[in-house]
Amino acid sequence: MLATVYTGRPAQQGGQEHDKVRLVASFYPLYEFASRVGGDKASVSSLVPAGIEPHDWEPTAQDRLRVSDADILVINGAGFESWAGNMEAKVVVDTSQGIDHGANPHIWLDPVIAKHQVEKIREAVIAADPANEDYYKKNADSFLTELDQLNSFIKLQLADCEKSDFIAFHDAFAYFAARYGLTQHAIHDVSPEGDILPQKLQQVISLANQLGINVIYSEDLVDSRLADTIAGEIPGGRVLVLSPVEGIKQQEQDAGIGYIDKMRENVANLRVGLECR
Ligand SMILES: [Zn+2]
């Protein structure tokens, strides 16, 4: 005999989700920006899972389905999502549109450009759900204010430093460096993955010695051994993290750590390497 079990749950769940604007963001910073704008009137998910490096990520058939089901696909643009052109999305928001950028896609690491990205998302969400325009504007404004404050904070923190050169793990901080009058050097090119030739390692070590740099930056989602090796070849060498905020691990997201926190940590670690007062 089978007993009937009453779970107390309705037969179908998620009915309310259909009232929300459905956004799929490509990877972490866009996910956070979209979540901040959409608030509780949007359901936002990220294609690249939490804590996964997005550079070499490729969508699965299931990801394509998620995108075609969504109202809006939010991408960084500037060439970061090489797969985006093959997606069937109702609306694609390319947040790099209208920004004067080169071949380097890491625009989100400049808080001033990030503001533009947030504004592009705001426009798209309002177009999809005009009835809640005021709500989305208010959400966006509050995040835009935080980005303004971050920009002022960084300027202040980096105002009086001994050095202006730093060695990043990969070429992610070009826009950041340009914004704050710094010079970025990098171990890896535009992606943090792949092999490094011994000659390149030697070059980085020579450069560090030449410039009197003793902090080598690693990242939060990569193996730090390469940075450790370089630091080991430099007098007083040490490794600190400079996060490109390309992904935030789930446990950190659960603890409420986001873009602004990561950027503030970056600034604290840059202050060590640049010998700021
Ligand atoms: Zn990158």
Side-chain angles (χ1 to χ4, degrees), residues 53 55 80 106 108 170 172 190-192 244 246:
E53 228 307 310
H55 271 283
F80 197 92
H106 300 87
W108 66 90
H170 83 287
V190 86
S191 164
E246 291 178 352

